[in-house]
Each structure stands twice: as structure tokens, then as C-alpha cells.
Amino acid sequence: MAYPDDLLSSGEHVVTHKHPHWKMLFFPVFWLLVVVVLGSYLAGLVGDLSWATIAWGVLAVVSLALVVGLTVVPLARWRTTHLVITTDRVIYREGVVKRTGLDIPLTRVHSVRFEQSFADRMLGCGTLIIESASDAPIPIDDVPSVEKVHTLLYREMNDNPEDDFQQRTVDGRA
């Protein structure tokens, strides 16, 4: 899903748009399977009881609550988390009910680095750490292809001749 063009400035273009790595979905899928298997087993156990209809109703309500809490909510959180690098800024948005966002102009980014554990390297993800002019380092976890994203961001920071010209003009060197 492309980042909405109406949220970009004029002349700004998306360089890359990422959702968190699929590893964030491992436990939600695991819990979905556990709830389905356990719910089916328990439904089979209460099938011979005289109050089976009530038990199935309670089991269905509890199972639905577990599926929503352990699977649907994390899936929605994953789907609504965006890391977008444009020609002008880094955009990070997350949240379903409470939406939070962070925009860092590329001219304010001082350095960018990444960290990967052994498991992250095996899965092809990692943590992107952005250091801006006045803030503490900002870690963005579970970025897929973090090395490529790091390289893209570094290139956008350093390959924008318009920003270099504007900076030289401000410094009085042009």
C-alpha cells in the first residue's frame, strides 16, 4: 500500500515505504492457532453434556475475545505502522486508536546507523537508529531489509544537491 500522496509536500516523493518485519506477526499467528485448536478440543469435550449449548456460547465468546486481543489487534498495529523515507524527510507513524507520528527533515538528520542481532540477520531485519540535530537517538525496531533502508536514507541525506546549495547559501559560501 503506497503512502498517501496528499500527505506529502509539493515536489516530495516517496523513496521507500516499509511496514515492520513479518516477525511481529509470529506470536499473533501462534496464539490464533492455539485458540483454534484449544477451542475445538474443548468444544468436542462439552458436546455430550446436557448444557452444551451454553458451554459452546461461553467458549465462543472467550475464544473471540482471545482472537481479537491476541491476533487482530497486533495485526492492525502492524498494518498501521509505517516507516516512509521521502526526498525531504523521514516519516514514522504508528497506532490504531492512539495515532503517533514523527517527521524528521533530512537536513536535521546527523547520522543514521543500524543494529542487528544474530536472529535479526537470519530474518533480514533490524533496528534503524536515527540521530537528529536536537533529539536523543530514535530507534525504529523491526525494519525489514534494514541495511538497504540505511543505505537509502544515507544516500538521500548526502545526494540532494538542492539542500547542499541552500546550506552553502545560508553559510554565505555560495
Side-chain angles (χ1 to χ4, degrees):
M1 180 174 153
Y3 196 72
D5 288 335
D6 60 340
L7 298 178
L8 301 177
S9 303
S10 62
E12 184 177 21
H13 303 285
V14 173
V15 175
T16 187
H17 175 208
K18 301 279 186 179
H19 290 285
H21 193 265
W22 60 263
K23 80 176 188 178
M24 285 185 66
L25 300 176
F26 177 79
F27 284 112
V29 170
F30 170 77
W31 287 118
L32 175 65
L33 294 174
V34 167
V35 168
V36 167
V37 168
L38 190 60
S40 299
Y41 176 73
L42 292 175
L45 285 179
V46 300
D48 295 333
L49 300 176
S50 61
W51 45 275
T53 307
I54 296 171
W56 284 338
V58 169
L59 190 59
V61 169
V62 169
S63 296
L64 183 63
L66 288 173
V67 166
V68 167
L70 297 174
T71 301
V72 175
V73 170
L75 179 63
R77 189 177 300 122
W78 174 83
R79 188 72 178 117
T80 59
T81 300
H82 303 270
L83 170 63
V84 181
I85 298 174
T86 72
T87 53
D88 295 338
R89 59 190 165 147
V90 177
I91 304 167
Y92 185 71
R93 301 280 189 269
E94 66 181 342
V96 179
V97 176
K98 179 185 173 191
R99 193 94 171 122
T100 59
L102 172 71
D103 289 11
I104 305 171
L106 290 180
T107 57
R108 305 284 293 176
V109 175
H110 280 200
S111 67
V112 60
R113 61 189 171 98
F114 67 91
E115 294 177 354
Q116 286 182 301
S117 67
F118 180 72
D120 285 343
R121 285 195 340 246
M122 297 296 288
L123 294 172
C125 64
T127 301
L128 187 69
I129 302 167
I130 301 172
E131 295 181 22
S132 65
S134 61
D135 295 328
I138 301 162
I140 301 173
D141 296 323
D142 300 322
V143 176
S145 305
V146 71
E147 289 185 68
K148 290 179 183 177
V149 173
H150 170 264
T151 301
L152 283 171
L153 181 54
Y154 183 79
R155 285 183 184 155
E156 283 301 315
M157 288 170 36
N158 292 314
D159 291 347
N160 197 338
E162 295 171 12
D163 290 339
D164 291 343
F165 178 74
Q166 290 173 354
Q167 185 62 38
R168 286 194 310 270
T169 305
V170 169
D171 293 343
R173 296 181 284 168

